[in-house]
Amino acid sequence: MTAQSMVARDRLALSNLAVSLVAFALGAVMAVMQSLSRADLDVVFRSPKVYYLSVTAHGVLMGLVFTTFFIMALGIVFVRQCLGRWVDDRWGWVAFGVALFGTLMTTAAILSGTSSVLYTFYPPMQAHPTFYIGATLLVVGSWVWCGCMIASVRVWQRQHRGKPLPLPVHGLLATVIVWLLATSGLAIEALGMLIPWSLGWVETIDPILARTYTWWFGHPLTYFWLLPAYVVWYTVLPRVAGGRLFSEPLTRLVFMLFVLFSTPVGLHHQLSDPGISSDWKLVHTFSTYVILFPSLVTAFTVIASLETAGRLRGRKGWLDWLKDLPWKDPLLVSVVLAMLTFALGGFGGAVNAAYAMNNMVHNTAWIMGHFHLTVGTAVALTFMGATYWLLPRLTDRPLALPGWALAQAYLWFVGMILFGVVNHITGILGMPRRVYSAEYFGAEQAARWQSWTLASAVGGVLLFVSSLIFLVVVVATFLQSRRQAPLAMEFARPLAPPATRRGLWDRFLLWSAVAVVLVVVGYYQPITHLLALERYGSLPFKPF
C-alpha cells in the first residue's frame, strides 16, 4: 500500500482525532481562565457569568468531546490494524457526523450563555434544549461507532473461529461494553426527563432521581476514559520500552473485571442524598472498592512489563533496569508520569468512596483535585503520549519537535501535581468546589485557602503552557513536508506464548450478560423506591 493510500485509509481516524484536538484546545483556554479567576487575579472578561460558562465548557469539551473523539479514533486505528479491516467506512462517517453535529449544538448552547449548568448538569439547573439534544446526539454518534466496532469483531470472529481477539481489540471491546452499559442510564435521564423538561412539556423535575441516573452514567464514564489508556499501557508501552507484556491472561481478566463491576457503583456519589437507603449506598461502596482491584493488577503488570525491558538488556539489580528504559521517547515518559499521578489520584478515590470520609471532602476542591489527577493526567497525558506515537504512523511524517514533546510531558506532570495536590489541600481546608472567587464573600474561613489558590493558579498556567506545546508539536507534525517510510504499528508480545484458543475471559457475550444483571440488581431497588416516594418535583432554575 502506498503512503498516500495509507493516509487516505486513515482519514476517518484522523478526522476524529482532529475534532478531539480542537476540543482540547478550547477546553485548555477555559481552564486557565478558571484557575486565575479562583485566585482573584485579573482576567479579561472576568465575571461570575463568564466563569460558570467556562466551567461548563471546560468540563464538556474535555470530559466528553476530547475523550470520546480520541477513543473513537483509537478504536478505528487499532481495529483496522489488528483485525485487518474496519467493517464499513460509511457507518464510521455517520458516527463521526452525528457526534460532531451534536457537539456543535451543545458547544453553541454553552457559548451563548444559556446553558451554564456545569459539567454534571444537575437539575433543577436548566440548560437550553439544544444543550441536552446536542449531548444526546454526541452519545448517539458514539453508539454508531460502538456498532461498527462490534460488527468488525463479529466479521473477524466468523473468519477466525475459536481464536481469541488480539489484545488491543479485546481491551477496546471491553470499553465499548462499559460505554453501552453506562450510557443506558444517561439515555433514560436525557430522553425521559431532561429533554421533555427543557422543552416545557413537563413543568417540574425530580432532582434526586435525575442525579441517580447521572451517576449510573457518571462513574463508569471514568472507565470509558481509562480503559483505552490501559490498552496503550498494556499493548504499546512495553513494545516502546523494548520489553514484553508480563501476562496476557491477567490482562484479559482485568478488562473483563471492568465490564462486570464498573457500572453498579454510582451511589457512592450520592452518600449524602436522601431517598436512597444506606444499605444500597453500602453495596455500591463495596463494589467501588472491588473495581480498585483491576487497577492495582494493572499497576503490577505494567511495571513488571517495563522491568522485562531492562532485564532483556542484561540488567540484574533491583531497580537499575529503570536506567535502560528509553527516557527520550515521549510516549514512554507520558505514560510513566501518568501512572505516577494516577497512583495519587487512586488514593483520593478510595477516600471519596468511604462513607465517613466522603462527608469531609464532598463538593470541596478535593474532588476537583482528584478528578484532575486521574482523568486530567492518567487519561489525558496518556492520550497526548499516544498522539505522539500515532501521528507518524497515520501521516507518514516524523514527529516534529520531539524535544518539545518530551518537555511538554514533564511540564504537564509538574503543573498537574501543583494544581491537583493544592486542590486536595484547599478541599480539606473547606474550600467549596467551583467557586468563582477564593475571597468567598469575605468569609473568615476563606483566608486559610487564599494563598493556596495562587499556587493552584501557577499550576494552571503551567498546564496551559504544556497544552500549547502539545498543540504546536501536533500542528508542526501535520504541516511539515518531509515524509518518511511508513512506520509499522507493532504491539507488545507477551512473555509466555499467547493462547491460540478462546478462553474464559474472552467470552464477551457471557460476561456482558452477567454485567447487565449486576446493573439491574444494583439500580432496580433504589430507582423503584425513589419512584414510589411522594414526589413534588422542582421548577427550573437558571442562574444567568
Side-chain angles (χ1 to χ4, degrees), residues 112-125:
S112 70
T114 61
S115 302
S116 296
V117 290
L118 313 183
Y119 165 66
T120 45
F121 47 93
Y122 285 152
M125 286 197 298

Side-chain angles (χ1 to χ4, degrees), residues 14 17 70 73-74 77-78 232 236 331 383-397 399 487 489:
L14 284 168
L17 186 61
F70 184 91
L74 193 72
V77 172
F78 279 17
V232 174
V236 179
L331 180 132
F383 285 3
M384 286 186 267
T387 302
Y388 296 142
W389 182 81
L390 278 171
L391 276 184
R393 289 162 175 80
L394 295 179
T395 65
D396 296 329
R397 295 179 172 93
L399 184 70
L487 289 177
M489 197 170 289

